[in-house]
Each structure stands twice: as C-alpha cells, then as structure tokens.
Amino acid sequence: MVTATPPAQETGRRKTRGKSTRRRAGRLYGAVIGLALAAAAVGAQHYVPTLAERGEPLSYSGALKENVDATRFSARVDSVTAARSIQIKGARQDGEKITSDHLFLIVSASATVPRDPIHVQGTLLTGRDQKFAATDKVDSSYTLSYPWVQPGWWAKGVYVFEVPADVLAGSRLIVTFPPLSEPFPPQAEIDLGLDDAAAKNLVATAKDTYELARN
C-alpha cells in the first residue's frame, strides 16, 4: 500500500529548505562585504598622493627684519626700496640703465641653511594675491637667486621686481628653493610691512635710480 505524504509535512520541509537557503545567502553576502572592506583598507594603505597634493607647500610666516625658519633654510628681509630705474654695476651689464613702465621694488634679503647648500628663489605676492616673478631685466647673478647658500653663513642679496605702484600694499616675499617636486616643500612668507600708508610713502620717495652691483 502506498501512503501519500500529508501536504502539511511537505510544506514544512519546503520552509526548512527556504530558511537554509536564506542563511547561506546571508553568509555569502557577509563574506562579499568583508572582502570589499578588506580591499578598501589595502587600497588606502597603498594610496599615493597626486603631484598637486604632494606639491602643496608648508608656509612659515614672519615679518620684516625677522629670521624665518623654514626648516630647510632660514630667510630674512632686511630692507625694501623702490626705484624708477636701475643702474647696473658689474662685468655683464656694467653701465646699463634699466627702466620700466612700472616701479622697481628692490627687496634686500638674507638666507642661510642648517645643512645642505641650496639656491633660494624669491616671488612677490601682493595683498591682492597677485604673484610677480623677479624681473628678467636684471641678470640673476646680481640677485640672491645666484649664490649657493652655505651652512653657517648668511648669504645676502636682492630680489628685483617690476610692479604697478598701486598693488604694493600688503605685499609679502615668498622664498623657496628649487626643485619644488618634493612632498610639501617649505617656503618662507615674509611680510614687507607695507600697509596702505607705508606703500604710498614708498612710492612717493622712490629713487630716480638705484645702483645695483654684485656682492
């Protein structure tokens, strides 16, 4: 005699298989999430910053006549002068008189290093966040960009910029060293002490001619 399985028992087995399948699916889903999180953690450990992120400078601020320690070097602005022309004294440009439609800003600066000799470059940053590179009318051998800055010695020189007279207020000298490809390169940002009144006075008392010679 053949006995048929009651429908209620068959339904119970189907429910049991359904619960088992769902448990296996849940374990599989958890395993996938775990692997994804592990892969993300490994990826984070191997993250490499972009050149732009690596190139963001670490800035060390200071004021006029203050030694600013930027770790790899120290820099100082000794004085600021304005002139309407520059007379060159020296072998390469001896006797040459340089003029401009703007004003020449001559920043006398000094730099030293604790260890490795370097060259230092200067950029002018105005209160309006305008940047001015040193003028190319003056050979770099007459400026602080030229000599090797040596440990234990303060190298002295000038940076010369051609700048419209009305943007001088709030200007700072940014001193850096090439190359700038290392991560987070240091820079010294030195306030030139040119508030509105000082900037106007500097323009009003600008020299007709500034004589520039090699140190």
Side-chain angles (χ1 to χ4, degrees), residues 94-129:
D94 190 36
E96 183 178 349
K97 190 172 184 178
I98 299 171
T99 60
S100 173
D101 293 333
H102 298 303
L103 201 67
F104 287 109
L105 187 71
I106 301 100
V107 180
S108 297
S110 305
T112 188
V113 291
R115 296 187 305 276
D116 303 321
I118 60 172
H119 292 289
V120 288
Q121 297 177 335
T123 303
L124 188 72
L125 180 64
T126 73
R128 301 177 186 179
D129 289 332

Side-chain angles (χ1 to χ4, degrees), residues 60-69 73-81 105-112 121-124 144 154-159 161 171-175 188-194 202:
Y60 299 83
S61 301
L64 184 71
K65 298 185 178 181
E66 178 182 331
N67 295 344
V68 180
D69 184 357
F73 65 92
S74 293
R76 181 180 67 242
V77 170
D78 299 309
S79 65
V80 181
T81 307
L105 187 71
I106 301 100
V107 180
S108 297
S110 305
T112 188
Q121 297 177 335
T123 303
L124 188 72
L144 188 55
W154 281 90
K156 298 180 181 295
V158 299
Y159 294 111
F161 305 97
S171 292
R172 289 95 75 196
L173 178 71
I174 307 297
V175 182
E189 183 174 328
I190 307 173
D191 193 316
L192 301 183
L194 297 175
L202 184 68

Side-chain angles (χ1 to χ4, degrees), residues 114-175:
R115 296 187 305 276
D116 303 321
I118 60 172
H119 292 289
V120 288
Q121 297 177 335
T123 303
L124 188 72
L125 180 64
T126 73
R128 301 177 186 179
D129 289 332
Q130 297 168 296
K131 285 187 177 182
F132 290 86
T135 179
D136 58 3
K137 293 181 179 179
V138 175
D139 190 272
S140 63
S141 61
Y142 292 87
T143 74
L144 188 55
S145 299
Y146 183 74
W148 283 100
V149 179
Q150 302 284 349
W153 298 88
W154 281 90
K156 298 180 181 295
V158 299
Y159 294 111
V160 183
F161 305 97
E162 288 182 77
V163 188
D166 61 351
V167 302
L168 289 177
S171 292
R172 289 95 75 196
L173 178 71
I174 307 297
V175 182

